Amino acid sequence: MISTADLEQLAEIEIQREEEEQQCLDGPQIHPTSNYCSDTSHPFYDVARHGIIQVTGDDNYGRKLIIFSSCNLPPSHQLNHHRLLDRLKKRQTTWGHRYMKYTLDQYVEMDYIVVYFHYGLKSHNKPSLRWLREAYNEFDRKYKKNLKALYVVHPTNFIRIVWNIFKPLISHKFGKKLTYVNYLAELREHLNYDQLIIPPDVLRHDERLRAAQKGGPSPSVKTPPPRPPLPTQQFGVSLQYIREKNKEAVIPPVISQTVTYLKERGLRTEGIFRRSARVQLIKDIQKLYNLGKPVSFEQYGDVHVPAVILKTFLRELPEPLLTFPVYDQVQGIVRVESSLRVTRCKEIVESLPEHNFIVLKYLLSFLHMVSLESIINKMSPSNLACVFGVNLLWPAQGSVSLHALTPINIFTEILIEHYDNVFSSRCPPGQVMP
């Protein structure tokens, strides 16, 4: 039986061999120079600026999406890997949580998935295998329990060797969460591909792999034009479309029905909005709504189901509820003096189109209500903002970067915590309150 030491040596040899093969396939490499985080006051700016870890919001089933890109790892001598990992030793408590935990701790209390882009891991920038073992041991049960899927993109023999090294440490249940993804297109089967922040180097590498694959699928697969929406469609269509087809409904039926149910059954549920639900079940409920058929959440017996449906509805709007023009204004909230932020948020909200304002006010009234029960449900305005921020606002082009999440979450937290002040003056006629 091959020993761990032999496996480690084999891994080192393998990554050097793969590096040589990649140089032949890819040609000269240009290391990324653009900074993902330009805020030098960020507590982990030295790590955050590389864009190694990105959080891009929820997938369509209520799970946070976290991306780790190996190609953005700088050479080992330029990055202290222990700044990337919080070693929770007593003599280090003054440092508190380091970057990976600083990032993940904001999201691992809820269900999440990880996409790991392996391309770009080289002998000069890879962490040591000892560090990887320490990393796995440092992440306690809450990180492993709430991780629902780990997608390893462009796996190599090095990955498989490392997996064998770790097998004695990894439970069978955790191992079942791992999925190897050979080409980027395969990710579409598992998650919302458009939400991914994919480094240009990874995109180019994927194209080269496909070009080198004899008799394989074309690098670019044409998708058929989308079908026109059904008259009863609820998901993936605009607020205006829903209102036109549901003339008596000021609030979209999905929002009003999920909020009504959650007000009755979910306000005191610990971790409400943090859990996901079975993917197929969410798809089935979406189909019922889109066909105009009745949905009874009573039959599912799980308050997390309507909670996920509510987030899914918001995320699938073609334009976010807060609208695209507001995005840059919200990003500027961090430059506003703290004492003036509530007033600024109020100004931004009042600039929304009337229908968006009505729906937002209805939703935020409910989230404020949830936050008032935070002693029991553990969902403070800050926690709710981490869940809902990226479902209320995203840019017209691309995904929300980890750096851009901070102002979005601050803005959303203010809307929830200071609901009465933010929504006090503007009350359009005919508004329906929850």
Side-chain angles (χ1 to χ4, degrees):
M1 183 176 179
I2 191 167
S3 67
T4 300
D6 289 337
L7 280 172
E8 290 187 3
Q9 184 178 8
L10 186 59
E12 294 292 336
I13 294 171
E14 190 65 29
I15 198 169
Q16 291 177 17
R17 184 188 66 78
E18 290 172 359
E19 188 172 349
E20 292 173 359
E21 289 183 355
Q22 285 180 3
Q23 287 175 350
C24 293
L25 178 65
D26 300 340
Q29 292 299 294
I30 301 173
H31 295 291
T33 56
S34 59
N35 293 337
Y36 281 77
C37 175
S38 58
D39 180 8
T40 56
S41 65
H42 190 288
F44 291 89
Y45 170 74
D46 58 325
V47 180
R49 68 192 181 95
H50 296 292
I52 302 164
I53 302 173
Q54 297 288 323
V55 180
T56 62
D58 288 1
D59 70 1
N60 282 344
Y61 309 105
R63 304 173 299 189
K64 287 296 174 187
L65 179 57
I66 297 172
I67 297 170
F68 190 104
S69 301
S70 288
C71 67
N72 288 336
L73 279 166
S76 298
H77 69 274
Q78 294 181 12
L79 176 68
N80 180 354
H81 286 117
H82 288 281
R83 285 281 286 167
L84 202 59
L85 172 69
D86 178 19
R87 297 285 312 283
L88 295 180
K89 294 181 179 178
K90 290 183 179 179
R91 67 175 181 268
Q92 293 178 316
T93 53
T94 54
W95 274 106
H97 286 69
R98 298 197 177 184
Y99 187 62
M100 284 178 70
K101 287 195 172 182
Y102 172 85
T103 300
L104 294 178
D105 275 346
Q106 302 173 70
Y107 302 102
V108 297
E109 294 294 341
M110 62 192 86
D111 294 344
Y112 69 103
I113 63 177
V114 173
V115 175
Y116 167 65
F117 292 122
H118 178 61
Y119 172 75
L121 191 71
K122 307 288 179 65
S123 55
H124 73 274
N125 71 348
K126 74 172 183 62
S128 68
L129 294 177
R130 178 184 174 185
W131 182 89
L132 290 173
R133 279 195 295 269
E134 291 175 348
Y136 182 82
N137 290 330
E138 290 292 344
F139 287 101
D140 57 28
R141 186 172 179 271
K142 72 175 180 179
Y143 295 92
K144 298 164 188 172
K145 175 187 174 185
N146 293 339
L147 173 65
K148 298 306 176 185
L150 168 60
Y151 298 102
V152 176
V153 183
H154 301 139
T156 64
N157 285 337
F158 172 79
I159 286 289
R160 293 175 173 88
I161 292 170
V162 170
W163 183 255
N164 283 326
I165 293 173
F166 276 77
K167 261 188 177 179
L169 303 176
I170 297 172
S171 69
H172 176 69
K173 187 175 181 181
F174 184 86
K176 291 172 66 176
K177 300 176 182 180
L178 173 69
T179 299
Y180 289 131
V181 178
N182 293 312
Y183 302 99
L184 290 173
E186 295 173 14
L187 285 172
R188 296 184 186 276
E189 302 173 16
H190 305 287
L191 46 83
N192 186 345
Y193 184 86
D194 295 332
Q195 285 192 48
L196 293 175
I197 298 176
I198 305 176
D201 282 352
V202 173
L203 289 169
R204 287 190 289 268
H205 178 68
D206 190 76
E207 290 173 0
R208 286 186 287 262
L209 284 178
R210 286 192 169 278
Q213 182 191 33
K214 295 180 180 179
S218 170
S220 59
V221 180
K222 291 185 178 180
T223 55
R227 295 179 179 178
L230 298 168
T232 52
Q233 192 93 12
Q234 299 292 310
F235 289 85
V237 292
S238 67
L239 290 178
Q240 181 181 359
Y241 183 89
I242 295 172
R243 189 171 188 181
E244 288 174 354
K245 303 298 181 181
N246 301 264
K247 296 193 180 298
E248 296 182 2
V250 178
I251 306 300
V254 175
I255 294 183
S256 62
Q257 290 169 19
T258 53
V259 165
T260 298
Y261 185 87
L262 291 169
K263 281 174 61 181
E264 295 173 356
R265 304 294 181 89
L267 289 181
R268 299 169 75 85
T269 299
E270 184 173 336
I272 188 67
F273 295 116
R274 286 189 180 276
R275 299 276 79 85
S276 60
R278 285 193 299 112
V279 169
Q280 190 56 51
L281 178 59
I282 299 304
K283 287 182 177 179
D284 291 344
I285 295 173
Q286 285 182 277
K287 185 175 180 180
L288 289 175
Y289 270 117
N290 287 337
L291 293 174
K293 296 182 178 180
V295 174
S296 173
F297 291 113
E298 294 281 352
Q299 72 181 83
Y300 305 111
D302 183 0
V303 295
H304 297 296
V305 171
V308 171
I309 288 293
L310 175 58
K311 291 189 296 178
T312 302
F313 174 83
L314 294 169
R315 186 64 198 175
E316 290 197 6
L317 288 171
E319 182 178 32
L321 183 56
L322 282 167
T323 72
F324 290 131
V326 161
Y327 183 81
D328 288 339
Q329 298 177 53
V330 170
Q331 288 298 305
I333 199 70
V334 292
R335 297 188 293 273
V336 176
E337 188 178 334
S338 297
S339 61
L340 301 176
R341 285 181 179 176
V342 174
T343 300
R344 179 59 184 144
C345 289
K346 183 175 182 177
E347 292 172 353
I348 293 173
V349 165
E350 289 183 344
S351 71
L352 292 173
E354 181 176 316
H355 192 209
N356 292 71
F357 179 88
I358 292 173
V359 176
L360 182 70
K361 185 173 182 178
Y362 180 92
L363 176 64
L364 268 294
S365 174
F366 165 63
L367 296 182
H368 178 70
M369 193 180 301
V370 174
S371 73
L372 296 179
E373 300 285 351
S374 62
I375 293 178
I376 297 170
N377 63 32
K378 311 300 183 187
M379 295 303 290
S380 64
S382 176
N383 290 336
L384 287 167
C386 282
V387 173
F388 275 91
V390 77
N391 292 312
L392 294 175
L393 185 63
W394 56 86
Q397 300 294 328
S399 301
V400 179
S401 68
L402 180 59
H403 178 54
L405 271 178
T406 299
I408 291 174
N409 289 349
I410 289 173
F411 180 81
T412 307
E413 181 179 353
I414 291 173
L415 298 193
I416 296 170
E417 184 173 1
H418 300 278
Y419 167 81
D420 291 333
N421 289 334
V422 171
F423 292 92
S424 60
S425 61
R426 180 175 168 181
C427 187
Q431 180 175 353
V432 178
M433 293 302 296

